[in-house]
């Protein structure tokens, strides 16, 4: 028998559904904007699409699975593990997409003349494919054996139950050693630090070029690096929001592993989970307010597919009514 949902769980589910309802349409809009606008077809925006796909999956897949885990159904161990792994895959995909974006921005300011010959659409597609392959390998590592199966078996030995059924919870099946030593210390923290260094170097190179061109009679290079500075700032903000959203949960995982006797308030855990899921809804807002090409594409989609259709339908209804009279 399933336990009735408490008021706290109902509030948690409501917030998660709200995040999903913002995240999914927002990121679909990002993908749509890149598809229909030729100005958004370079490598950077292809990597942004990869990031948006991961964010759509968070809203459409991870959040429903997180709600299921929060309810805590009785299920077989590996079934629960399959429910827990998608968030690991998509987190890693987001990190690697952000890393690819950072490297792409670095190449744009480091080798502007040779950039298009180095970063071809084919190479960008290969990089995106590699990011997703690595993400699946990292995220599915618990399925390959680095999990809590033996620990759970030891706790259930006295019952000698034939059917190996557990209450499905993330920490029940996912090893904290995996989450901290492998996921955080290898696949989250180093890429974040590397991206920080890359963006610092990007800003340094841009400022050098802008200072160099101040006395130049040609405005074209200054215009190029000025535009690059604006885009780099926007993408660095995306990175900052990602780090701000995900680091609290990883810090709580470290506390759980290194200080087993420490009691972490449940409300902090829930806030950290909301931050991680909410990050998927943040990026389209950043693009809309900070990147002019996206803002233009969003307005174009709105005018072409929503605003004008509403106006046409209203006009059509009015005309029909007039003809009827």
């Amino acid at each position: 028998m399933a336990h009735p949902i408490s008021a706290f769980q109902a509030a948690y589910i409501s917030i998660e559904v709200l995040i999903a309802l913002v995240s999914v349409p927002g990121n679909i809009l990002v993908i749509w904007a890149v598809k229909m606008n030729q100005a958004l077809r370079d490598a950077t925006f292809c990597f942004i699409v990869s990031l948006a796909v991961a964010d759509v999956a968070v809203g459409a897949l991870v959040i429903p699975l997180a709600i299921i885990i929060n309810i805590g159904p009785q299920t077989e161990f590996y079934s629960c593990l399959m429910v827990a792994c998608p968030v690991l895959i998509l987190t890693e995909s987001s990190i690697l997409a952000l890393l690819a974006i950072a490297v792409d921005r670095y190449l744009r300011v480091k080798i502007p003349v040779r950039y298009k010959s180095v970063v071809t659409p084919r190479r960008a597609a290969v990089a995106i494919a590699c990011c997703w392959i690595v993400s699946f390998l990292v995220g599915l590592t618990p399925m390959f054996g680095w999990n809590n199966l033996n620990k759970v078996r030891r706790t259930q030995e006295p019952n000698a139950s034939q059917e190996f059924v557990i209450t499905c919870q993330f920490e029940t099946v996912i090893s904290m050693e995996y989450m901290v030593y492998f996921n955080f210390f290898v696949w989250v923290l180093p890429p974040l630090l590397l991206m920080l260094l890359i963006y610092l170097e990007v800003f340094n190179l841009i400022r050098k070029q802008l200072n160099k061109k101040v006395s130049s009679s040609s405005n074209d290079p200054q215009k190029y690096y000025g535009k690059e500075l604006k885009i780099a700032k926007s993408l660095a903000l995306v990175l900052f929001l990602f780090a701000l959203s995900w680091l609290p949960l990883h810090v709580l995982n470290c506390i759980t592993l290194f200080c087993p006797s420490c009691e972490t308030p449940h409300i902090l855990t829930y806030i950290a989970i909301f931050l991680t899921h909410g990050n998927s809804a943040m990026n389209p807002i950043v693009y809309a307010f900070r990147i002019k090409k996206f803002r233009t594409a969003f307005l174009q989609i709105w005018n072409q597919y929503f605003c004008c259709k509403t106006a046409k339908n209203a006009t059509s209804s009015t005309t029909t009514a007039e003809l009827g009279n």
Side-chain angles (χ1 to χ4, degrees), residues 51-63:
L51 180 59
V53 168
D55 287 338
V56 168
V58 168
L61 178 65
V62 168
I63 287 178

Side-chain angles (χ1 to χ4, degrees), residues 188-256:
V188 174
L189 196 57
L192 287 177
L193 293 174
L194 179 58
M195 283 183 266
L196 174 63
L197 294 175
I198 289 172
Y199 275 112
L200 288 174
E201 182 60 17
V202 166
F203 291 131
N204 183 45
L205 287 170
I206 291 173
R207 293 192 191 284
K208 278 183 180 177
Q209 291 297 328
L210 288 174
N211 291 336
K212 192 187 295 182
K213 299 296 177 184
V214 165
S215 59
S216 173
S217 58
S218 171
N219 288 324
D220 193 52
Q222 197 161 358
K223 185 179 177 183
Y224 174 83
Y225 285 105
K227 185 178 73 172
E228 286 300 316
L229 181 61
K230 285 181 183 177
I231 294 176
K233 282 181 178 178
S234 301
L235 296 173
L237 176 60
V238 171
L239 171 62
F240 172 76
L241 290 173
F242 182 89
L244 195 67
S245 300
W246 278 96
L247 286 177
L249 188 61
H250 284 289
V251 169
L252 290 177
N253 288 340
C254 290
I255 292 170
T256 301

